[in-house]
Every structure is written in C-alpha cells, then in structure tokens.
Amino acid sequence: MADEAVAARAAEPAAPKAKEARSPEAPPRGGGRGDDRAKDAPERPDAPEPTDTSDSADDEAGEREKERERAADRFKDRTRDPLTEEEGEEGPTDAAAAARARREGQKLLSSNRDLIGFDRSDIGQVHIGDINVRLDALRSGLLMRDGPVPAEELLRIRRTHIEPGGYVRLRRALEARRLLVLGGAPGTGRASTALALLEEVTRAGEGRENSERVRRADPARGVRELATQVAGGTGGHPRGTGYLLEPALDRPGTLPPDGMDLDQLASALAEQGSYAVVVVSVGSAANPLLAGRYGAICPPAPTRELVAVRLRQRLEEEHGDPVRGGGAGGPGGGDGRGPRDGDGSRDAGGGRDRNGGAHRDRGRDEHADRDGGEGRDRDSHRSTDRDRDGSPDGGGHGRRDGDGGRSGDRPGRGAGPDGDGSLSLLLERAAELREDPEVTEAVGLDDLRPAEAELFASLLAGHLRGTVSRAELLSGCRGLAAVQAYEWFAGVDRALAAPPPGDGRTPVRSGTAALFHPVAFRIALAVLGGASHSAVSAAAHLLTWELSVQSDPDSTPARPLFCDDPEADLALSRARPADGVVDVAGSEVTGRLIFYRGSALPAAVLAELWDRHFPVRAPVVRWLRLLADDPRPQVSMRAAVAAGELSVRDFEHGYAELIRPLAEAPTPRRRVFAATALDQAAGHASHRRAVRKVVDNWSLHGTPAQRWTAAMALGYGRCADSMDDTLDTLAEIGVRDDGEQLAVASLNVVRLLTLPECATVLRRLAAWTGHRREEYQDLALVSIVRLALTDVDEVLDDEPGTPLGDRGDWPLLLALAATRPELTGKLADLFWTALNTARSRDVALDALETLLRSASRKDGRAWTREGLAALLPALTAEEQDRRRLDWLLRRMMRDQDRPLAEERARALWRLAVPARQRRSEEEESHG
C-alpha cells in the first residue's frame, strides 16, 4: 500500500466476520442491528462516486451527510463524562481518587462488628469477679471530693501499680519542686500514676507516720484555694501531706491557673514539707501549664504488662496457687480495683499485681532506681523478667501468625486444681488465647487503657476457667470500643449548665466552642479516618460551629485561631498520625494522614452518636451536607460512606434527611454522595431490600435527578436483585426521554464490568447492539467506547494485589483482555462493532489510537502491551481490519503534535498481524 494512497483516504471498513470464527454470543461483525444496519453502515472510501447528476439526488445525499454528522456529534456528546456537568466540558473529575477514598472509608467502617446489639447490660453480663466499668459515671473530675485516700488503697497502689516510661524522672521532678502538673488523656493512668508518686515521696518524707498522708483536693476549689489552705494550715492537715488535684478546666468559664498561682502553691508546699500533683487533660486550656517548669506529660501505662500481670493475678486468685513473692493473696490485695480517673473509668495500674509487689518494698525507700536514667524503674523490668517463666507477657493482644488461639475454643479445661490446668498450663493457654486472631479482631483496639486491660484480662481468665463462653468472650471484647465511645460523649455539655467559678476573675474562654471541639474532632475522625490531618481538623472545626450553634443559637461561637494543639487532639481521641499518599488533582503526593488507634473505634463512635444522642443529629446532618460539597474526594466520599452507615442505624431518618434531599440536588457531586450512601446501606443484608425498592422506584417514577442517582447506585452492583435486573434498570434509565440519561447509564454499565459477572454484561451489550431501537444501540456503543477510555482505577473497588488492581492505570478494555482471556473475543467483537458503525466510528477510532499509544510509557517501559497483544489479533482478523490499522498507524506517525516513532509503530503492527498475513507494502512501512 503506497503512502500517498494511505494519506489521501480513510481506511477501508471491515466486512462482517464469518459467524463460525467468532465467539457464539457476539453479534455479527459490522451488523446485528437489523433494519438499522443499512442506515449506519460506513461508506466505503474507495467506492465509485455517484453518477446521478440531478439536483434532488445531490440534495438528498447532502442531507444524509448532514444527518450523519449530527448523529456523530450527538454520539460524541454522550461519551463525555457525566460527572463534569457542573464544571464544564473540559472540567476534570478524579474518579480514581473517589474510588480509592470510598474503598478506604469502607474498610474503616466495615469491621463486621454488630454494634446494633450492643447494650450496657451486655458488659455487665461478662464482668468477672470485681470488675465493674461504670458507664454512667460523671465526667471531668466532678466525682472527686476532698478527703484522704484510704490506707488500703495506697498499699494497693504501692504493691500493684505498673510504672509507665519516665516514672523516675517524674518522681525526681516532684521531689525537687514539690509540685508537678501531670498531663495526659483521660483513662491513660495519669491519676493512678499521680497517687503512686505521692505515696512514694510522702512515705519517705515528713508525713511517713501519718496514715492519711495523701489527700484528694476538691476540684471545684482550684489551685489558688489549695495554696491558701496549705499555707494557712487550715483543715488540720499535718506536714508532709501529699495532695492530688484534678481541676475541672473543661467547664465553660473556668480559667486555668497561671504561673503565679503555681508558684504560690509550690512555695506553700515547701514551707509545709508537702507535695502536690495537679492532674490535667492535654489541650489548649492546659498547654500553658504543661509548658511551664512544673509541667510534664504522663506516658500511658504499658498495655502488654497491664494485661499480662492482671491476667496472671486473676488466674492465681481463682486457681488457688500461692502468688510468687506475696501475690494477690497478701495484704492490700483487696478487690483489685484502682482509683478512678475522674471520668468514671478505672485509671492506671490500680489493682494490677506487680509480681507480688515485694520488690517494691525492697529498696524503694533507698531509691534504688537512681541509676535508671530517664527510663522505667529497673525494678519493674526485673519483675517482668521474673514473670517470664510462665506469664503471658509476650504479646499484648496483637495478632500472631500461628494457630495458638485455638485453645480458646475449650473453655474451662482443667479449671480445677486436680485437672491438667495447673497455673503454668493456664498461663500458656492464656498467652495463646490472648493472641487469637478472632479475639484480636473483636477487641479492635491497637492498645488498651488500664480499665480495658483489666476487663480484657478478666474475660480471658473467665473463659479459661469455664465461666465465660466463647461467644461471651467475643461479645465482651467488642464492648470495649463501645464503652470508650460512651464515655467520650456521655454528658459532654452538662458543664454548660454549671455556674462559673466564684474566684473573682472574669472568664475569657468561649464556652461552647472549646467544649465541643474535642467531641467534634472524634466525630470527624470517625467519618474521615485515613484522610489528611488537615482535612480532618478543618472538618472538625466546621462541626464545632454546627454543634455550638445548635446548643446556643443566640450566640455566635468564638473559636481562637492560634490555640489548637494537634498533639492534644491525637491524645484525646486515641488517634495516630501516619505518612501516606493523598490524591491531589489526579496526582499522588505525600501527606500526613490520621487514623484511630483501633479498627473498632470509628463504627463505635458513629453508633454511640446516632443511637444515644438524638439532638445531635440535626447539626451532624448539616455538617455532612457541607462535606458532600467538598471538591476533595477524600472528604466527600468518606463522608458518603459514613452517611450510609448512619442511615443503616435509622433508615427512616437517614433517607429523609440525607439521601433523598441530596439525590434531588442539582449538582452531580451531591447526587454521587447520595448514591454512595445508598450502596453502603445496601451492603447490609437488613437494609438491602429497602434500598433496592428505593432505587427501583426512582428509576421508574423518579425525577431526572433521582434517575441519575439511581443509575450511579446501580453501578456499584448491590442495588438490584441480580446482574440482569441491574442491567434492565440501567437500560430503562438510559433510553428514556430520548437518551437524556444515557451518558450516566453507560458509565455505570462500564463500572459493572469490573465485577465477577463481567461476562453477563458483555452478553447484554451484544444484545443491545442488535436491538431495533436506536437508543439501545447507542447505549451499547457508548458503553463500548467508554470501556476503552476508562482507566481501571476509576471504576474498580478491588485493592492492589488483584489482577485488575495491579493494572490500575490501564484502560479497562485492555486490562480485561489481559486478565480474562476467555472474554477477549467478545471484547474484540464489541469494539469492532463500534469501529464499523457510522455514528460511533470517529470516536471509536480516537479511542483505538489512545489504546495504541498506551503500549509503552514515555521512558520506554512496557505498559499495556500485554493487553494489546491479546486484543489486537482478535480485532484485526480480516483484511479490512488490518488495512484500517495500517492507515491508523501511518496517521499516528504523521501526527504533527505527537508523532509515533517508527519502531513503536512496527512493534504494534507485529502485535496485531502475524508474519504470514503481512503484505509487502505494509512490511515496508511497519517492518
């Protein structure tokens, strides 16, 4: 074939392929559309010019040509992205980022946890012995009152407290300055550590003979009143007393003590030979205190040791074996409960055996830890080492690779002293059970706080003794995250009704905004977990405003601009940062992401929020609608997934307030939000039927916006009873009103091709190409062209690591040809039909050119070559097909803007055409 001839005319169309040479389900190549075949058949470029010279014939031919051009233009319009309506014809949409954000949001909220069945009575049913987690406790230290700490509690703290890292440094600071401001998140062990510090320093000081040498100070009085009391000697407190104060800084109108207040208290303490520890929660109110010379952060108690030691104590108590070195049977063993941390949860290590505590009596008075540096007391390490002969201290509650957890299925084996359940065997089985993957998944927390570790250890011990079944064990473990969520939200705004302090100072802090921000951050993290820290923080501030306005509609919330503390937000919300990838304008950039420290917390927070706090629904709904408008997929899609989960908990409310209003919105972004929420609800068997009824009603009787939303929901593949029903509904939406919704219908047909029922979709496309109605034909042709132009990442729900997931930047047509060889013939037949239909030919040729250019990357590395090697031979089986490819490759080589290199053209030609079928002219051009 001469180059001049190729340049002067288009490629010849292919003749219909013999039926015997095709896959049996495919329509006849170049036909299969009945009466429409003649109208849309492409003209042969080399056909002789008509000889009819009459004016009427010329006019008729001209009109036909104009009609073909109009049909081609209409077809091209239908192949545009339906998601760009609000941004203009050329507006970009990041469908790949949206798909990834939806997938990541589903992972965080789909932990197979039945939180609907959670009830406070469930926790009571699995409590063992003296374990009692108070769900109705008051918050913010208001439970504390002025009075001495009982001697037996101090003895228990002395014997059983597990020291966190840096304990020695904290004790030395208290000894040197007499005053310590100890900061930490509630429930992390700060109050228990404070009592342990006070017990130790007062035992070695002037108050050693006083049985009431450690006292709790009334939190309502504050630092200034405590300083006045200590300096004046009022109350009859002897010298050498240690004071524990937990000021209620989160009450609206409460001002934190300043540096002069602390200096005054420290001076009074020094005069009286006394000590004081002020326990505060990290946050903007306490940050100035913690940054001063008296401030220090209290590290959380070590989870692994907490669980191991408490589990050993429980087993020893019930088994009847003597505790080595004194143990739980000794004096002060008590009920094993430690002091509460103001919010009702049992704080740090109280009630946790430290190998009998004997080492604490030996040498602690002589400060044998002074050469221990900044780390933990060496005695605590030695106690752990002594436990290693049988204690399960090897792995917290993390997963293990082995099958050690299987013993957990045999509750009560050897529970009596005469069986094979000796203490050492029980400890070995406890270690295996603690690391059972099913137990780990049920716990759903990366690390346990003291009260949680105590309950977890009691559940394990009860299961080993036979008093707790496997189901009760898992139910109790699942309740840990629910209890944490309850404590986070219970009575948060109760302090708004409390009067301001009567210390004579004018409050300057905002009441509602400062109070609601920690709560808003936890909700934002539950909804947007895995997004960038900045996105979560910004969303939290939006929600803070909504909550504040709802709580006090007559006031404008005031939020300081420079008082945020990201580290405090993390600590108060059990969150962790992580470096990761953020999608920005179609590119991946490194960013700082944020997650909960535990897979169970997001769902627990949403369940607690929606099921127990009805007044908060209105501001949260307004907030979610704001997030639906966010142009960042990492925000809007995660919010949509969360909206679906909330709708599951109360579908009537979720449908009326979120799904239906957004489904009727004028912007595609809001309608996609509603469709994603519907699909998330359809993922729950309990709501699948209701969702399918909604989608079916919208597709038949809904407004155009509702039909558009229904089509997007159907594209996920879960909103109809079967794949055939899904395709029937999409076809009804696409062909209605002269194809008004054909673009969105075809997009979702393509999305279905990533599902296992891909072959069913291809068969239906083949049937539509032969349909008598032009709208069905167009739906099939547009879907075929879109299949070639859509990347896998834009429509795939699978994670990387699957055959399609590993080809995320491939055109879906080539990825399917490479990974599903049994479908290659059907794919080639369908694409051939688009190439040989007049109204779709130009767009299909452009799509084929895009496919050919994707064979290798700009740097020469292979890209989609494997898919082209599978598709092109099936697409160019006939002589006319090869001539079209020959013409297209030469056109690409002569492209003024992006000329195709000759060696790449030769490589593509060799992929498509076997050597025995190449003609001499083509060999000369393409090698």
Side-chain angles (χ1 to χ4, degrees):
M1 182 185 301
D3 288 349
E4 292 77 11
V6 172
R9 60 181 176 84
E12 291 187 68
K17 184 177 178 181
K19 187 171 182 179
E20 292 75 17
R22 294 177 291 102
S23 48
E25 295 86 353
R29 283 199 169 183
R33 296 185 301 281
D35 297 338
D36 186 65
R37 187 166 56 238
K39 180 179 69 173
D40 274 343
E43 295 183 356
R44 297 177 61 89
D46 56 347
E49 294 294 330
T51 58
D52 190 353
T53 58
S54 66
D55 292 340
S56 60
D58 291 342
D59 292 342
E60 184 178 350
E63 187 62 31
R64 285 199 304 269
E65 181 63 27
K66 291 179 180 179
E67 177 58 31
R68 279 195 292 269
E69 291 177 357
R70 288 193 292 268
D73 289 340
R74 288 196 301 269
F75 185 89
K76 185 175 182 180
D77 288 338
R78 289 170 172 174
T79 62
R80 295 191 177 114
D81 189 348
L83 304 180
T84 61
E85 293 175 14
E86 66 185 272
E87 301 169 4
E89 178 181 340
E90 302 300 329
T93 58
D94 199 345
R100 283 191 291 270
R102 172 179 172 270
R103 184 168 62 240
E104 292 165 2
Q106 287 180 320
K107 285 194 302 182
L108 292 178
L109 293 175
S110 301
S111 56
N112 298 320
R113 306 178 64 83
D114 184 15
L115 293 176
I116 295 178
F118 169 72
D119 187 89
R120 279 180 272 184
S121 60
D122 293 345
I123 299 299
Q125 293 172 0
V126 296
H127 280 176
I128 307 300
D130 57 3
I131 300 301
N132 180 26
V133 178
R134 292 183 56 189
L135 295 179
D136 296 314
L138 299 177
R139 297 176 56 84
S140 306
L142 299 181
L143 184 67
M144 309 289 290
R145 288 295 180 264
D146 185 61
V149 178
E152 58 271 17
E153 185 174 346
L154 291 178
L155 181 58
R156 183 169 61 249
I157 288 290
R158 178 182 173 187
R159 293 170 59 87
T160 64
H161 177 255
I162 294 180
E163 299 169 356
Y167 178 87
V168 175
R169 175 173 49 82
L170 297 176
R171 192 198 65 220
R172 290 172 178 169
L174 179 60
E175 291 173 335
R177 299 188 179 95
R178 299 283 178 169
L179 175 62
L180 181 66
V181 179
L182 195 61
T188 56
R190 51 187 189 163
S192 183
T193 298
L195 285 176
L197 289 168
L198 290 172
E199 190 280 332
E200 186 170 352
V201 297
T202 56
R203 179 160 45 89
E206 298 181 32
R208 66 175 65 90
E209 302 299 330
N210 179 16
S211 61
E212 297 182 353
R213 64 178 185 272
V214 178
R215 302 183 62 86
R216 291 188 176 95
D218 188 350
R221 295 181 179 177
V223 170
R224 300 177 76 181
E225 289 194 22
L226 178 60
T228 302
Q229 182 182 16
V230 172
T234 59
H237 304 162
R239 293 177 59 86
T241 299
Y243 299 91
L244 171 63
L245 174 64
E246 297 186 57
L249 300 181
D250 58 352
R251 297 178 64 185
T254 301
L255 289 170
D258 54 30
M260 294 184 63
D261 295 332
L262 297 177
D263 289 338
Q264 182 182 1
L265 177 57
S267 177
L269 292 168
E271 292 177 2
Q272 295 295 323
S274 299
Y275 302 88
V277 178
V278 179
V279 175
V280 297
S281 293
V282 292
S284 60
N287 283 348
L289 303 179
L290 297 175
R293 61 178 173 274
Y294 301 105
I297 296 295
C298 180
T303 296
R304 296 163 70 94
E305 292 184 31
L306 283 175
V307 176
V309 173
R310 187 56 173 161
L311 180 57
R312 182 184 184 90
Q313 182 187 22
R314 284 291 182 183
L315 291 175
E316 288 172 341
E317 288 173 352
E318 299 297 331
H319 192 271
D321 284 2
V323 181
R324 301 174 188 176
D335 61 359
R337 288 178 293 180
R340 298 193 178 276
D341 191 19
D343 58 356
S345 62
R346 190 166 301 112
D347 214 293
R352 295 167 181 82
D353 183 16
R354 293 182 60 205
N355 195 31
H359 70 282
R360 184 135 186 168
D361 292 328
R362 297 191 307 263
R364 294 293 285 174
D365 294 333
E366 292 79 12
H367 304 295
D369 60 344
R370 291 191 180 277
D371 57 350
E374 296 294 322
R376 188 176 305 159
D377 190 336
R378 290 184 303 165
D379 287 344
S380 66
H381 287 298
R382 289 199 294 269
S383 69
T384 303
D385 293 338
R386 287 197 298 270
D387 284 342
R388 287 177 183 169
D389 58 348
S391 65
D393 59 353
H397 56 281
R399 296 181 181 273
R400 60 184 286 166
D401 296 331
D403 58 354
R406 295 178 182 173
S407 64
D409 293 322
R410 305 188 297 275
R413 173 183 146 220
D418 297 332
D420 61 351
S422 65
L423 180 59
S424 60
L425 289 178
L426 284 176
L427 290 172
E428 291 176 3
R429 291 176 55 208
E432 296 174 352
L433 179 60
R434 185 175 62 181
E435 298 173 358
D436 185 336
E438 190 175 9
V439 173
T440 300
E441 189 278 332
V443 171
L445 299 172
D446 293 350
D447 47 52
L448 296 180
R449 290 182 171 179
E452 297 163 349
E454 186 173 355
L455 177 57
F456 180 54
S458 298
L459 290 169
L460 295 177
H463 182 64
L464 292 173
R465 296 195 310 267
T467 59
V468 175
S469 68
R470 177 80 174 186
E472 290 173 328
L473 168 66
L474 297 178
S475 177
C477 291
R478 293 188 182 100
L480 294 175
V483 171
Q484 173 65 93
Y486 180 89
E487 293 176 350
W488 273 342
F489 291 99
V492 167
D493 54 354
R494 184 182 293 119
L496 290 175
D503 58 3
R505 293 181 293 175
T506 302
V508 296
R509 293 178 58 212
S510 168
T512 56
L515 185 66
F516 287 131
H517 180 69
V519 175
F521 190 88
R522 292 163 188 154
I523 298 172
L525 183 56
V527 171
L528 303 179
S532 65
H533 195 168
S534 61
V536 174
S537 181
H541 282 292
L542 285 177
L543 182 55
T544 299
W545 175 276
E546 295 292 344
L547 295 175
S548 301
V549 170
Q550 185 76 13
S551 176
D552 188 7
D554 296 330
S555 302
T556 300
R559 179 67 183 169
L561 300 180
F562 298 98
C563 292
D564 274 3
D565 184 353
E567 298 304 321
D569 288 340
L570 296 179
L572 292 174
S573 301
R574 299 184 73 161
R576 62 177 177 86
D579 291 334
V581 173
V582 179
D583 292 292
V584 179
S587 302
E588 294 183 350
V589 297
T590 302
R592 187 173 189 256
L593 311 183
I594 183 172
F595 301 86
Y596 268 117
R597 297 184 63 85
S599 60
L601 287 172
V605 166
L606 295 183
E608 173 66 25
L609 178 74
W610 219 241
D611 293 348
R612 299 185 189 275
H613 305 283
F614 295 102
V616 84
R617 288 187 176 187
V620 170
V621 165
R622 293 196 299 268
W623 174 67
L624 287 172
R625 290 180 181 179
L626 291 175
L627 298 187
D629 293 325
D630 197 294
R632 295 168 295 180
Q634 65 163 327
V635 174
S636 59
M637 293 304 291
R638 283 180 168 88
V641 171
E645 287 296 315
L646 294 176
S647 298
V648 168
R649 311 201 69 81
D650 188 346
F651 193 72
E652 177 189 17
H653 186 272
Y655 175 77
E657 299 295 331
L658 278 172
I659 294 176
R660 187 176 63 186
L662 294 179
E664 297 170 348
T667 60
R669 185 175 290 122
R670 284 196 160 200
R671 298 199 294 266
V672 169
F673 184 101
T676 304
L678 272 176
D679 171 74
Q680 188 67 18
H684 295 260
S686 57
H687 289 71
R688 193 167 297 144
R689 181 177 179 181
V691 170
R692 290 174 177 176
K693 183 66 174 177
V694 168
V695 171
D696 189 55
N697 286 338
W698 283 357
S699 63
L700 293 176
H701 313 295
T703 64
Q706 288 176 335
R707 294 200 302 274
W708 195 100
T709 305
M712 289 299 300
L714 288 165
Y716 291 114
R718 297 192 292 193
C719 293
D721 293 334
S722 66
M723 181 59 71
D724 284 328
D725 290 341
T726 301
L727 293 167
D728 287 340
T729 307
L730 282 174
E732 292 170 359
I733 295 173
V735 304
R736 184 173 174 177
D737 297 335
D738 295 326
E740 178 186 357
Q741 307 282 2
L742 192 144
V744 69
S746 67
L747 170 64
N748 289 283
V749 170
V750 172
R751 293 171 64 198
L752 295 173
L753 286 166
T754 63
L755 301 179
E757 301 93 334
C758 176
T760 302
V761 181
L762 294 180
R763 284 195 295 269
R764 184 62 65 89
L765 287 174
W768 287 341
T769 60
H771 202 280
R772 299 183 65 87
R773 290 183 57 185
E774 185 175 322
E775 291 85 356
Y776 281 92
Q777 301 166 19
D778 282 350
L779 176 60
L781 294 171
V782 172
S783 299
I784 294 165
V785 173
R786 198 180 297 281
L787 173 62
L789 297 174
T790 301
D791 287 346
V792 172
D793 270 345
E794 298 177 19
V795 292
L796 184 68
D797 284 336
D798 290 349
E799 291 282 354
T802 61
L804 282 180
D806 288 338
R807 296 169 172 82
D809 61 348
W810 283 37
L812 181 57
L813 176 62
L814 297 182
L816 289 173
T819 59
R820 301 285 298 273
E822 72 278 9
L823 302 178
T824 301
K826 301 173 186 176
L827 293 168
D829 287 344
L830 289 170
F831 196 57
W832 186 94
T833 302
L835 287 169
N836 286 273
T837 302
R839 59 184 181 273
S840 62
R841 178 180 57 201
D842 292 342
V843 178
L845 276 174
D846 291 341
L848 179 58
E849 179 177 344
T850 301
L851 297 179
L852 294 174
R853 291 187 181 276
S854 71
S856 58
R857 303 184 188 274
K858 292 181 180 180
D859 58 5
R861 292 181 297 118
W863 187 0
T864 65
R865 181 182 177 88
E866 179 187 2
L868 288 168
L871 180 69
L872 288 179
L875 191 62
T876 58
E878 299 292 337
E879 176 65 22
Q880 291 91 338
D881 305 330
R882 292 191 290 273
R883 294 181 64 183
R884 175 172 46 226
L885 178 63
D886 170 50
W887 171 83
L888 181 59
L889 288 173
R890 296 185 187 188
R891 189 185 76 172
M892 293 167 63
M893 293 171 64
R894 295 174 180 174
D895 191 313
Q896 296 295 321
D897 298 323
R898 293 194 306 161
L900 182 68
E902 183 177 349
E903 62 269 16
R904 294 185 63 180
R906 290 177 179 176
L908 290 170
W909 180 254
R910 289 168 181 166
L911 282 180
V913 182
R916 64 179 181 276
Q917 296 178 354
R918 299 174 195 156
R919 298 183 305 169
S920 58
E921 296 91 343
E922 294 161 346
E923 279 291 329
E924 183 178 350
S925 295
H926 306 303

